[in-house]
Structures are given as C-alpha cells and as structure tokens.
C-alpha cells in the first residue's frame, strides 16, 4: 500500500536533516542511538499532523471522553508500534534500508518505557491502543516516573535491581506542556470560614505544594488518523529556588518544596499485587489524580457552563484502587471551588467515576492508616469522613440492627481508610476483569456490596492488542494469517481469526504454521545464546512461564516439577523423553524475599541440569533476564506451551495467557482467571487443564487450609523433590539456602499456613497434565492442529472487544472519525 505521508525521498531527507541538526553528524557518522532519535523525530513529525487533526475534531464534535486513570502504563517501545499503526512499517523499513540503516537495530535502541509492573500496567497500555483504534476520545492519566521498573540483572543466580534511567537520552515522542501545569497541595490544616451569607468555606493553609507539569505522549490508532494522548505528570517546585526566599525566611520552605517535587515522581514502586502503605506512594496517587481532575474540569468548563452535566461529557475510570482519591478530589473541586452543595456534588461524582477491581488477595488491598492519610490530605480526609458518615447511615437504614454490615462495609474502620470501599460507594460501576473473578467478587469478596447495590457490578474480561502482540511481535504469523484469511481486517476485528479454523485439517497449512513457530523459536534461541550463553535446541518443546514472580502464580510448582523430571530422566535413562526447554522470565519486587529465593532456585536448578552431560540435553532451563514488553513480544511468538498455573481463584484474569494463545501456544493451566474463558473458546481438548477448582481452593481456605504432610509422607516422588530443597543438591551442599521455601510448603517453622498456594496438593495433577503435553507434542499433526486452533479461537481476547464492552456498558462514548 502506498502511503503518501511517508513519501520515501522526503522521509529520507528528513532523517538526514534530523541527524544533522540534532547531532551535527552525517548518517554514516551517527551512532545507532542517534539514528533512533533522528528517525523517531521524523515519525513524530507525521504523527503531529494527525494529533492536531484529532484534537481539532474533538473540539468540533465535543464527544464524551474517558479519562483512564492509572498509576501504571507499561507501554513498551513506541517506534515500531507507531509505524505499524500508521501502516508505514514496511515503507519506512525500505527507506531506511536504502540509507544503510537497519530498522530493527535502531528499534532496539529505544528504552522500553517501563512505567508499570506487569499485567495491570500493560492492560492500561493495550486499552489506550484499542481506544485510539476504535476512534474513541480518551486520555490516559499517569505519572512520568523518572525511573521506571528496575532493570533486572542476574548475578550468581540472584536478582539484582539496577535503576532504569529511561529518560537519559531524552524521549523523542513526548511533548512537554508547561501551559497546562497545575498546583497540587499537601498537608497543612483546614481553616473554616463563613461568608456574609453564612456559607462555609474550607481553606487549606500551611501546606506544601508542587507544580504538576504534563508531558503528552501520542497514542496512534490503527490506520485511522486518530491520535489520542497519554498525559503523564512530572513534578517541579512551585517557586524557583531563589535567593530572595532566603531573605524572607522561606529558605526551608523553598528547599522542602524542591525536595518534594524531586521525590514525588522519582520512581515507580515495584510491587505487583501488593500493598506497602508508604506515604510517598499516597503522595504520588494524589499528585497525579489532583492534576488530572483539575485539568479535566478546566477542559470541560471551556465548552460547558453547567458543571452538573459533567457526566454527559466525562467519565473517570479508575484502574484498581490506586486512583481512588479521585472521587474525593472531584468532590473537593465541586464543593470548595464550584460552590455546589453536598447532594449536588455527590450526584455528579457518582455518575462520573467508575472502578475496576484487579484482585481479591488480602495483601493487595489498599488500607491507609487514618493518621497518615489525614495529615497528608486533610481536606480530602474530611470529605471521605462525610462520605463514610452518610454511607454508614444508609447501611443502618437498609439493614437495621446489623452492625456486622457496618463493620464489614464502612470506608473508615479500625483506624484505616479502605480504598476499595470508597471506590465502590462512589463509583457508578464496579467491574471485575474475567468472568470467574467477577463471580467471586459478587458471591464472596464483595458479597455485602453486591447485595446492597447489585446494579453497579459487571464483568469486563481483559484483552490484549493484536497490533503489538501479533503484528509487531510475530510478523511471520501475522502475514500468514492475512494470507489465509484473504484479508487484513483481523487487525481491527480479531473475531475474524475464527476463519482460520478451516485450515485446521489442511496438511500444508499446518506445516506452514509450525514452520513459522520454528523460525520464531530459532530467533529466541539466538537471543538466549547471546544473553545467557546457553544453547537451546529449537526442536525441543519450548515450555514458557513468563510473568511477575509471585507465590500465587506458582513458579515454584513449575520448578519442583522440573526437579522431578530431572530425577526421572536420571533414574530411567532408557525411557523415552521428549526434549524440553523450560523458559522462565520474572521480576520479583525488590523487597519480596521469598520471590527472590525462587529466582535463585530456578537459576540453581538450571545450573545443575544444563551442565549435566549424562542427560544428553533432554532438559534445558533458561531464565531470561529482565523480562519486559520488548523481549516478551519475541517470547510469546516462540512458545510451544503457555504456563498459566496460578492457584485457582487468585489470578483475576491474566493477559499473558491471551498473548500465548494468539501466538499459537496451548495452555497448561488451572481453571483460574481468563483461562476459564480461553478453554471455553478453544475447547478443553486443546488445552491441558489440571488442579483444584476455585471453589475447592476457597473451601479449603475457609476451613484452615489442608495438610501437606499427608502428601509428603505418601508420595515418594514429591517427598524427594521437597527434600532436595534442603539436602544441598541445588546449593553446593548448603542445606539452609532453600530452607524457607521448604518450610513454606510443609510449615515446620513458618508462621503462615502450610503450602498456602496448594503446590503439593496440585503437584500430581500438574505432572499428569505435563505428561499429556509430551504425548500430544509427539503427535506432530495433532499438536499443529491444537496450536493453530489456539490462534483461530483467540478472537474474544482482543482488547478491542474489551473496550467496546466498556463503551457500551459503562462509558457510553461517542465515536469520532478523523480525515486528513
Ligand atoms: C502481558 C504482560 C504481563 C502480564 O502477564 P500475566 O501472565 O498475565 O501475569 C506482565 N509483564 C509483561 C511485560 C507483559 O507483556
């Protein structure tokens, strides 16, 4: 397709000129990083025209907009993705080729903007891609962390965290917008004033404040000229650090504001599914929320004078409870700045804010200590007190005499602010992220709320964008899909993938499908050789578990099973065993000791297994360092088997599972999160399902767990691998290195419940399912068909489908079109 906006000679000239003006060099002299910058600026130039056209269209049409509020946006690299969405990838690649520049090599120069931890942040990024592609007006609202997710190094088998200075060479795609700066205030006290009419005013005094400066980042829709905005806020001191403030005795105040600004956006907290209760984290939350809501109100008021109709043009979607101060900040602006009464303000707020729940795990629930919260956000706290007072009154009216309800549902209880309760009470929608998860919310975790306000609850099963995770990550398969379907329309309508089913019995098509998988495995094998120095055989089964390291995700089950297989292979060298490569990738939160022990264990087992000549390379293990969006794209493309083995009920949805499916990797997994819906789409025969159901897990939990000693005592294979944690096999004779992991399974010393995540309980079923994987893989035709059907049945899991459901059920946005 000829793309006039990327007229080849003009584009080449632009790149050459950029190298010259930015770096005073010629293309031949420029470093790869400089070429990346020069090309990116040339691409941005084209994006800007669409960006302007989109904003103009929004001005004219005045559509309803969603503000997607998220502490995390795990964007991944922009250059390649932007080119794909502008349908200019091939042409730009050609143009650069002619200049002697390798597009793939310069793509590799772009730092991964890693402003997120894992699934929650990546979901936000996929949603922005889908919103722009579907032509909906949307802002992403977040924080411009100066240091994103840490870079992971493995040293002597241990995870070491290195700072991710992603901005050090500048970010060609962002745009600083100082003209939209907003002041955000912290601390101090609230003085109450009365005016002549007897009206009350709340004045915050003795506060510290920072200036929030927005940086806009273009979100390019696919082939539609729509460019939305991710607006991430940076912090600067409110007054320049001037000597005259010293003379006025404000020196300390000036220094404090300088430090506050410097600290607030310094670094992303690396916790995934875990609440740490740090004051700076609450500052970050209020900082970006206050700035975002202020900006949204200013924007609304430019066009509308009736603030009570805000919900007709604006909706705020809160990605988990992290942005929940939004409801109180909106109330503050409506009450204190717009001068509305409580009922009026509450009526607006509860039609404008909506909440997405991402987890039911107790350790992830945000509960701020009241003393910390009220000290940092005194006016916001007052407002929450009043919300709580009225809500408790309502509970008592609905359930007279039932103080248990009050205790379980109040927002303020036991000295804590319960953010999930605030989000549910003030939100007009509460959604879970997969059907099973939403059912657990309604029937177990949030049962009281569901009974009192059932109309708020709904499900929105997560999705992923096929533009990044197939077109960009697996161009060979993307081209094959287009060829087989005879259309490119799947790029914006993934349900069309079902048309591939008719190739599921076509020998030639299956051969092509598997030969593409093989090429992607070769590409990953090269990456592994380069990064790990380990040779892996692309003919072996690539069995992959990549995701954040967490006990509930059960990497430990996977590794114990590898230890079990290794014992089997050593003991029965005569038995046939299909060669397997177990691939892991996972970052552990820096303070999560047990997760880091599991990383060390994976690397220790890898050391022993990979260096044991006696097993003839039947087993290999690889830990891919620094798992992140850019290497994830290659890993999904190369996977034969997708490990989705969380303890049933714990993984709200998962999205990695969908990326594997899209790329033709059958799932071995539990009936958890979106796995349930994946199996429903692909058929139980095209997945390997094992283990306890969520009902069984919840039943055990309600009854104090189970006794793993029964399993340990009665299953010698299991006993052997558990004992190998403390007999020095994988620790050069050290019996203490993995003692804590051993204890966590058997509870001989640990304080929490034994085997909380049912690893030993599910072990046999998992080993059996893995045996079935091997048998299925041996049958080449059967496997190819299974893999192809996974790709063919993945249509439901596009984030385009998810976003369309949000629009129809929650946001009610208007579609726009942009012509240039
Ligand atoms: C998709 C993705 C995740 C989420 O994976 P899960 O298996 O759903 O936990 C995490 N990190 C990256 C880089 C991803 O691309």
């Amino acid at each position: 397709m000829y793309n006039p906006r990327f007229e080849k000679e003009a584009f080449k000239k632009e790149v050459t000129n950029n190298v010259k003006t930015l770096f005073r060099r010629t293309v031949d002299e420029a470093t790869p990083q400089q070429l990346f910058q020069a090309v990116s600026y040339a691409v941005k130039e084209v994006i800007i025209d669409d960006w302007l056209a989109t904003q103009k269209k929004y001005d004219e049409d005045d559509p309803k907009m969603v503000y997607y509020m998220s502490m995390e946006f795990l964007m991944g690299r922009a250059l390649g993705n932007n080119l794909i969405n502008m349908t200019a990838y091939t042409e730009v690649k050609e143009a650069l080729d002619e200049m002697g520049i390798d597009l793939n090599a310069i793509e590799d120069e772009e730092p991964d903007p890693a402003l997120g931890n894992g699934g929650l942040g990546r979901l936000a990024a996929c949603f922005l891609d889908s919103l722009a592609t579907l032509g909906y007006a949307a802002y992403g609202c977040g924080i411009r962390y100066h240091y994103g997710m840490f870079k992971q190094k493995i040293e002597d088998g241990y995870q070491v965290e290195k700072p991710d200075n992603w901005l050090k060479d500048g970010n060609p795609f962002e745009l600083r917008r100082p003209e939209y700066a907003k002041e955000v205030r912290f601390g101090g006290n609230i003085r109450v004033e009365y005016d002549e009419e007897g009206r009350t005013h709340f004045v915050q005094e003795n506060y510290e404040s920072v200036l929030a400066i927005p940086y806009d980042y273009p979100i390019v829709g696919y082939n539609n000229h729509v460019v939305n905005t991710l607006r991430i806020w940076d912090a600067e001191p409110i007054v320049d650090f001037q000597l005259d403030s010293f003379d006025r005795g404000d020196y300390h105040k000036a220094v404090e504001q300088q430090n506050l600004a410097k600290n607030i956006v310094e670094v992303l907290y690396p916790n995934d599914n875990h609440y740490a209760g740090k004051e700076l984290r609450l500052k970050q939350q209020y900082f970006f929320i206050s700035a975002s809501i202020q900006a949204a109100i200013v924007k609304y008021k430019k066009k509308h004078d009736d603030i009570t109709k805000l919900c007709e043009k604006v909706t705020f979607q809160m990605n988990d409870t992290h942005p929940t101060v939004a409801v109180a900040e909106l109330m503050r602006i409506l009450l204190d700045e717009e001068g509305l009464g409580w009922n009026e303000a509450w009526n607006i707020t509860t039609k404008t804010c909506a909440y997405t729940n991402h987890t039911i795990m107790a350790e992830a629930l945000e509960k701020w200590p009241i003393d910390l919260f009220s000290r940092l956000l005194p006016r916001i706290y007052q407002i929450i007190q009043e919300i709580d007072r009225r809500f408790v009154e309502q509970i008592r009216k609905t359930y007279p005499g039932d103080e248990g309800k009050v205790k379980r549902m109040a927002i303020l209880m036991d000295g804590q602010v319960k953010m999930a309760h605030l989000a549910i009470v003030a939100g007009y929608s509460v959604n879970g992220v997969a059907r099973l998860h939403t059912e657990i919310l309604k029937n177990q975790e949030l049962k009281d709320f569901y009974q009192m306000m059932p109309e708020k609850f709904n499900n929105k099963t997560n999705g992923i964008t096929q533009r990044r995770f197939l077109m960009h990550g697996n161009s060979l398969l993307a081209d094959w899909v287009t060829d087989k379907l005879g259309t490119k329309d799947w790029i914006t309508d993934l349900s069309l993938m079902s048309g591939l089913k008719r190739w599921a019995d076509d020998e030639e098509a299956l051969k092509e499908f598997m030969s593409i998988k093989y090429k992607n495995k070769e590409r990953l094998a090269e990456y592994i050789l380069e990064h790990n120095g380990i040779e892996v055989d692309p003919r072996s089964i690539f069995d992959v578990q990549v995701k954040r390291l967490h006990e509930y995700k059960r990497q430990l089950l996977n590794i114990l099973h590898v230890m079990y297989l290794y014992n089997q292979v050593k003991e029965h060298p005569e038995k046939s065993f299909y060669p397997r490569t177990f691939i892991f990738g996972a970052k552990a939160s820096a303070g999560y000791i047990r997760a880091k022990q599991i990383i060390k264990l994976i690397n220790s087992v890898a050391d022993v297994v990979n260096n044991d000549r006696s097993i003839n390379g039947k087993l290999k293990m690889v830990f891919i360092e620094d798992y992140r969006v850019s290497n994830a794209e290659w890993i999904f493309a190369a996977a034969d088997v997708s490990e989705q083995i969380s303890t049933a009920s714990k993984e709200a949805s998962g999205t990695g599972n969908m990326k594997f499916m899209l790329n033709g990797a059958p799932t071995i997994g539990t009936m958890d999160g979106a796995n349930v819906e994946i199996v429903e789409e692909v058929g139980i025969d095209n997945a390997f399902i094992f283990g306890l159901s969520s009902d069984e897990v919840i039943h055990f939990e309600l009854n104090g767990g189970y006794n793993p000693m029964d399993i340990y005592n009665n299953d010698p294979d299991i006993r052997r691998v558990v004992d190998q944690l403390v007999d020095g096999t994988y620790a050069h004779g050290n019996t203490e290195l993995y003692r804590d992991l051993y204890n966590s399974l058997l509870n001989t010393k640990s304080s929490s419940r034994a085997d909380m995540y049912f690893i030993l309980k599910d072990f046999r079923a998992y080993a059996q399912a893995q045996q079935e994987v091997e048998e299925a893989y041996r049958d080449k035709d059967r496997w190819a068909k299974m893999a192809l059907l996974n790709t063919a049945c993945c249509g439901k899991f596009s984030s385009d489908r998810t976003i369309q459901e949000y629009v129809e059920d929650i946001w009610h946005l208007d579609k726009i079109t942009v012509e240039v």
Side-chain angles (χ1 to χ4, degrees):
M1 199 194 329
Y2 177 63
N3 191 333
R5 300 182 309 150
F6 280 93
E7 201 282 306
K8 199 186 272 175
E9 293 311 316
F11 183 78
K12 285 159 72 174
K13 219 169 128 193
E14 179 75 17
V15 171
T16 308
N17 199 46
N18 284 350
V19 174
K20 182 172 138 196
T21 53
L22 288 167
F23 306 109
R24 213 195 59 188
R25 289 203 172 164
T26 66
V27 166
D28 294 338
E29 294 164 348
T31 65
Q33 173 60 218
Q34 290 170 337
L35 292 174
F36 157 70
Q37 303 257 347
V39 171
S40 295
Y41 279 107
V43 172
K44 184 190 193 179
E45 178 124 350
V46 183
I47 293 175
I48 296 264
D49 289 331
D50 286 356
W51 211 356
L52 284 167
T54 303
Q55 296 311 311
K56 183 157 168 275
K57 191 73 186 205
Y58 287 164
D59 266 355
E60 290 164 11
D61 289 13
D62 190 29
K64 185 173 178 185
M65 323 200 157
V66 62
Y67 289 84
Y68 196 81
M69 314 214 140
S70 181
M71 287 287 277
E72 304 187 14
F73 288 90
L74 190 48
M75 299 301 289
R77 289 173 176 157
L79 176 58
N81 199 251
N82 287 340
L83 289 175
I84 280 186
N85 281 8
M86 299 164 89
T87 64
Y89 195 90
T90 319
E91 285 144 299
V92 165
K93 193 170 169 49
E94 261 177 39
L96 294 176
D97 268 343
E98 288 172 20
M99 300 173 77
I101 302 172
D102 175 0
L103 175 57
N104 295 123
I106 67 162
E107 276 188 63
D108 222 26
E109 288 293 315
E110 180 176 358
D112 263 55
L115 310 185
N117 274 284
L120 174 143
R122 184 54 230 176
L123 183 76
C126 284
F127 280 4
L128 295 184
D129 181 83
S130 288
L131 278 160
T133 295
L134 295 173
Y136 293 114
Y139 275 95
C141 304
I143 296 173
R144 186 172 181 266
Y145 301 106
H146 292 190
Y147 292 87
M149 189 61 210
F150 62 77
K151 293 218 160 299
Q152 180 192 54
K153 295 266 175 227
I154 300 297
E155 293 176 7
D156 187 30
Y158 290 98
Q159 167 176 299
V160 177
E161 302 91 22
K162 305 274 160 136
D164 165 41
N165 190 2
W166 71 292
L167 290 168
K168 80 172 168 338
D169 297 310
N171 179 356
F173 288 104
E174 72 184 9
L175 215 57
R176 184 172 189 268
R177 312 301 296 277
E179 66 273 33
Y180 297 117
K182 298 282 175 283
E183 184 186 353
V184 178
R185 299 174 174 182
F186 297 97
N189 54 283
I190 306 300
R191 185 163 48 81
V192 183
E193 275 178 3
Y194 302 93
D195 62 21
E196 302 94 70
E197 288 136 55
R199 291 169 53 123
T200 323
H201 294 271
F202 298 87
V203 183
Q204 189 171 358
E205 39 180 42
N206 303 314
Y207 55 83
E208 289 182 284
S209 61
V210 295
L211 204 57
I213 311 273
Y215 284 70
D216 287 353
Y217 190 100
I219 306 294
V220 179
Y222 182 79
N223 197 23
N224 64 356
H225 303 289
V226 173
V227 179
N228 280 337
T229 302
L230 167 60
R231 175 162 280 185
I232 50 181
W233 298 88
D234 205 333
E236 291 180 12
I238 211 109
V239 280
D240 273 328
F241 189 72
Q242 288 165 349
L243 271 182
D244 64 330
S245 62
F246 179 75
D247 297 333
R248 294 203 312 270
D250 287 350
Y251 183 77
H252 274 285
K253 194 166 176 157
V255 173
E256 273 166 19
Q257 298 204 345
Q258 186 99 9
N259 287 338
L260 178 62
K262 189 176 157 3
N263 290 337
I264 212 159
V265 295
E266 187 70 359
V267 63
L268 165 76
Y269 279 97
N271 298 325
D272 189 65
N273 273 302
H274 183 79
Y275 164 74
K278 292 283 194 288
E279 176 166 354
L280 183 59
R281 168 83 172 187
L282 183 58
K283 277 186 189 164
Q284 292 182 334
Q285 294 181 351
Y286 184 66
F287 167 75
F288 94 96
I289 287 299
S290 177
S292 301
I293 302 248
Q294 289 183 54
I297 299 286
V298 168
K299 191 175 176 69
Y300 173 81
K301 285 176 69 175
K302 263 199 189 139
K303 275 203 156 21
H304 308 274
D305 40 26
D306 186 356
I307 192 76
T308 66
K309 293 194 171 144
L310 184 70
C311 73
E312 291 177 14
K313 292 294 172 189
V314 169
T315 191
F316 297 117
Q317 187 67 38
M318 302 183 288
N319 196 23
D320 210 323
T321 56
H322 319 145
T324 298
V325 287
V327 307
E329 176 67 1
L330 180 56
M331 285 296 286
R332 182 190 69 76
I333 292 171
L334 296 174
L335 295 167
D336 298 357
E337 291 175 17
E338 299 298 321
L340 301 186
W342 184 274
N343 289 333
E344 234 176 347
W346 184 244
N347 191 34
I348 297 167
T349 300
T350 53
K351 284 180 181 160
T352 312
C353 299
Y355 159 58
T356 301
N357 176 288
H358 282 270
T359 180
I360 60 165
M361 293 203 307
E363 68 262 38
L365 297 182
E366 290 192 298
K367 297 169 185 170
W368 294 102
I370 283 179
D371 54 354
L372 182 161
F373 195 101
S374 58
R375 188 164 32 79
L376 189 66
L377 307 172
R379 179 61 184 139
I380 293 299
Y381 179 68
Q382 282 183 340
I383 290 167
I384 292 174
Q385 273 184 314
E386 182 60 13
I387 295 173
D388 179 61
R389 191 188 68 73
R390 289 171 182 246
F391 177 54
V392 167
E393 201 172 273
Q394 201 188 329
I395 300 172
R396 295 204 167 111
K397 210 184 272 169
T398 315
Y399 305 102
D402 192 346
E403 284 302 299
K405 288 268 186 198
V406 173
K407 228 179 140 33
R408 294 197 299 274
M409 298 173 80
I411 298 163
L412 302 176
M413 184 54 63
D414 301 331
Q416 294 173 320
V417 188
K418 299 187 172 177
M419 301 308 273
H421 296 192
L422 178 60
I424 297 166
V425 171
Y428 68 93
S429 163
V430 177
N431 77 279
V433 290
R435 193 208 301 140
L436 174 69
H437 168 62
T438 302
E439 289 305 309
I440 294 173
L441 290 181
K442 294 198 296 193
N443 303 323
Q444 325 255 349
E445 297 303 312
L446 301 177
K447 193 172 173 183
D448 290 313
F449 290 96
Y450 177 60
Q451 282 174 353
M452 191 167 169
M453 35 193 118
E455 71 288 347
K456 288 188 184 185
F457 285 76
N458 65 96
N459 175 245
K460 295 288 166 282
T461 299
N462 283 166
I464 53 158
T465 170
Q466 64 266 35
R467 269 83 61 188
R468 182 177 291 272
F469 291 108
L470 196 62
M471 288 185 76
H472 191 253
N474 192 350
S475 61
L476 293 175
L477 188 55
D479 291 344
W480 181 86
V481 169
T482 298
D483 180 50
K484 285 292 171 280
L485 293 179
T487 171
K488 284 188 158 189
D489 290 353
W490 61 271
I491 296 168
T492 51
D493 179 2
L494 201 65
S495 72
L496 296 177
M497 295 297 257
S498 64
L500 294 174
K501 285 181 196 166
R502 73 187 189 84
W503 299 97
D505 290 304
D506 184 297
E507 228 171 277
E508 196 55 35
L510 291 173
K511 237 169 76 191
E512 292 163 7
F513 191 88
M514 291 316 287
S515 113
I516 289 167
K517 180 61 78 180
Y518 189 80
K519 289 200 181 102
N520 287 319
K521 288 167 78 174
E522 286 181 316
R523 180 176 70 169
L524 186 62
E526 274 172 42
Y527 180 94
I528 289 169
L529 185 60
E530 187 185 329
H531 290 81
N532 298 63
I534 298 172
E535 242 181 272
V536 300
D537 185 346
R539 290 167 303 181
S540 66
I541 303 172
F542 278 17
D543 181 312
V544 185
Q545 186 173 23
V546 287
K547 48 183 74 251
R548 286 299 293 261
L549 203 310
H550 206 295
E551 284 167 280
Y552 84 81
K553 291 176 183 281
R554 298 202 295 193
Q555 282 92 354
L556 185 55
L557 172 59
N558 188 340
I559 191 72
L560 290 174
H561 175 255
V562 177
M563 289 160 62
Y564 159 81
L565 284 182
Y566 181 57
N567 291 340
Q568 297 287 309
V569 172
K570 300 261 310 170
E571 233 162 67
H572 306 286
E574 75 291 351
K575 268 201 196 162
S576 81
F577 179 88
Y578 205 99
R580 249 213 246 207
T581 303
F582 287 93
I583 297 170
F584 294 84
K587 288 179 186 176
S589 173
Y592 191 172
I593 309 268
R594 194 172 284 164
K596 293 170 108 173
Q597 289 170 345
I598 293 170
I599 289 177
K600 171 66 176 170
L601 176 63
I602 295 169
N603 286 304
S604 299
V605 176
D607 256 358
V608 171
V609 169
N610 293 343
N611 294 310
D612 185 341
R613 298 267 173 93
S614 78
I615 62 167
N616 286 322
K618 283 179 185 167
L619 266 177
K620 280 275 169 79
M621 282 180 65
V622 178
F623 187 94
I624 293 182
E625 202 174 62
D626 203 34
Y627 175 59
R628 60 193 188 278
V629 176
S630 57
N631 60 19
E633 293 177 24
W634 287 27
I635 294 169
F636 297 126
D640 288 310
V641 180
S642 162
E643 296 267 359
Q644 307 300 335
I645 59 178
S646 54
T647 309
S649 81
K650 304 291 179 199
E651 187 76 271
S653 166
T655 49
N657 47 5
M658 302 167 187
K659 301 168 199 165
F660 282 106
M661 184 192 197
L662 173 66
N663 283 276
T667 299
I668 181 166
T670 49
M671 276 297 202
D672 198 16
N675 297 353
V676 176
E677 291 161 77
I678 286 176
V679 171
E680 187 172 285
E681 294 298 307
V682 77
I684 189 89
D685 294 342
N686 297 309
F688 302 88
I689 299 302
F690 71 94
L692 295 176
S693 69
S694 65
D695 283 341
E696 288 169 326
V697 167
I698 290 167
H699 182 81
F700 276 120
E701 287 177 337
L702 292 174
N703 292 286
Y706 83 104
N707 186 4
M709 288 311 289
D710 294 341
I711 295 171
Y712 176 83
N713 287 326
N714 293 314
D715 188 323
D717 292 330
I718 293 181
R719 185 163 64 246
R720 181 149 174 230
V721 292
V722 173
D723 285 346
Q724 283 174 333
L725 292 173
V726 291
D727 71 2
T729 306
Y730 294 106
H732 304 288
N734 182 345
T735 59
E736 300 313 302
L737 192 57
Y738 301 115
R739 179 74 59 182
D740 172 70
L741 293 178
Y742 174 88
N743 288 343
S744 77
L745 293 170
L746 299 178
N747 195 31
T748 49
K749 287 220 177 63
S750 84
S751 54
S752 58
R753 247 177 31 227
D755 193 11
M756 282 186 65
Y757 296 97
F758 302 91
I759 288 173
L760 302 190
K761 189 87 184 149
D762 272 347
F763 186 93
R764 270 292 153 201
Y766 178 57
Q768 178 59 37
Q770 282 288 23
Q771 187 61 42
E772 286 161 23
V773 167
E774 176 173 334
E775 279 154 27
Y777 199 88
R778 280 179 192 284
D779 183 345
K780 288 281 163 226
D781 297 336
R782 178 174 163 211
W783 187 269
K785 182 172 174 178
M786 217 192 250
L788 184 148
L789 284 174
N790 268 273
T791 300
C793 295
C794 74
K796 175 175 178 183
F797 303 104
S798 170
S799 45
D800 298 342
R801 185 270 313 152
T802 313
I803 285 300
Q804 193 55 35
E805 290 180 9
Y806 273 92
V807 167
E808 283 165 20
D809 301 342
I810 306 176
W811 300 336
H812 307 294
L813 307 178
D814 313 302
K815 237 185 213 267
I816 64 140
T817 52
V818 176
E819 277 129 51
V820 287

